[in-house]
Amino acid sequence: MEENEKKEDPVKIAGPYDNVKISVKILDRVIAGGIIAAVALILISVF
Amino acid sequence: MSLKVKSKIEGIKAMDKADQRKWFKELLINNSLFIFIIIAVIFIQIQRPEFLGKESIVNIISLSAAAMPLALGIAGAIILTGTDLSAGRIVGLTACVAASLLQMGDYANKMFPNLPEIPVLVVFLAVVLMGAFIGGLNGTFISKLNLHPFIVTLATQLMLYGLILMYLMNGNNNGQAISGLDEKYTSLIKGSLFSIGSTPVPNFVLFVIVLTVVMWVVWNKTEFGKNMFAVGANSEAANVSGVNVSRTITKVFLLAGALYAVSGFIEAARIGSNSANTGFNYEMDGIAACVIGGVSFVGGIGKISGVIMGVVLLKLIFVGLSFLSVSVNMIYIIKGLIILVACAIDMRKYLVRK
């Protein structure tokens, strides 16, 4: 009976980032790094 | 002030100092791209005071409107956790077909010299049907054969490029760009009913506003829209709930194809000279605008207002960079960085929620 109930649970499928093994801290650095690089490129182009 | 905002402010006030700091940090990081773009716009405005003048604003609005139907189509594909790499080529093919059927009767290099005059509306419907057919094919391959949208649309993109090159060799054209468009067509798209200051706003901006409202209704008020979000969030759960997943995927791609065709029809008249390069890389701008506007690759997340924001902000920054005389090569690099940061923010939001 329990087994049947388990089978009928809504299925959870893997999202695109479920297998990502990266910490939020590193992502924060990627975001900050990307924005700093973009700002630097704009400033280099202008001045 | 609305109740929602009031209760949110009270909730923040009730937090202790550490939680408030954490909340503020999350807010800053999640909106870092918007903050970057706003600061960039302020910087550009200081450097070039004419940047936010009436002419430039109309230019930004026009460029955004031209890109909007394509971005709305791609947003649907992303909501299904997919993507659409064929978008730009569908724009290119439909633009070339529309232009070739709507050339001036007395134009020397007319592609089909014996072609009688065809009403603009008939050509519009024909290219929209063509786009919908190609989109429908994409959707059918993705849903029935369970292939990844990336691969299917990559294949379609290549085939469409070949088709465009072959189409341009038709009649008297000999591979040249198609120009000399009928005035009825160009005035319908580029003509103007009203102005901002003394700068006329092209008609296609109005058409795109109407189209965007229609798409908002489709996404938020119809069964199809709700099914699209359900399939994107969790296709298995949607299937268990009685949603026809396969049909929904096909319909989303079919609708996307029709939207790309609308973009193609507008682009053909807007740029006036259509070659194999028309629509090239448009999908990249569309995907970037969607990701910046918060349409998540996780699936099932996205708003029309977000897509509008993404498209406008992207055009704003690139028009601004052109004002600063930043080289096109550098603009490509900055565009890539913005997409990368947008994806990192999307991933971060997902991981924090998890």
Side-chain angles (χ1 to χ4, degrees), chain B residues 22-38:
Chain B
K22 201 176 162 196
W23 175 85
F24 186 66
K25 188 186 154 195
E26 290 292 313
L27 186 79
L28 266 186
I29 294 175
N30 288 341
N31 295 295
S32 50
L33 259 186
F34 289 113
I35 296 168
F36 160 69
I37 291 175
I38 290 166

Side-chain angles (χ1 to χ4, degrees), chain A residues 8-46:
Chain A
E8 282 172 12
D9 275 350
V11 192
K12 245 194 149 186
I13 55 164
Y17 304 134
D18 275 349
N19 296 325
V20 175
K21 301 260 183 291
I22 192 167
S23 71
V24 172
K25 243 183 190 171
I26 292 177
L27 278 176
D28 287 349
R29 282 173 199 163
V30 171
I31 295 165
I35 290 178
I36 290 167
V39 170
L41 288 176
I42 295 173
L43 292 177
I44 288 168
S45 306
V46 174

Side-chain angles (χ1 to χ4, degrees), chain B residues 283-352:
Chain B
E283 64 277 0
M284 294 304 158
D285 284 354
I287 293 169
C290 289
V291 178
I292 291 169
V295 182
S296 174
F297 276 105
V298 173
I301 299 170
K303 283 181 183 171
I304 295 281
S305 56
V307 180
I308 297 171
M309 280 273 269
V311 170
V312 174
L313 286 179
L314 210 59
K315 293 294 171 196
L316 199 64
I317 183 91
F318 294 124
V319 170
L321 291 177
S322 311
F323 259 81
L324 288 180
S325 311
V326 174
S327 79
V328 180
N329 311 345
M330 197 61 102
I331 290 180
Y332 275 121
I333 299 173
I334 294 168
K335 206 185 268 191
L337 278 171
I338 288 176
I339 296 174
L340 205 65
V341 170
C343 285
I345 292 171
D346 182 37
M347 192 191 285
R348 188 184 182 281
K349 278 182 192 166
Y350 181 75
L351 293 180
V352 168

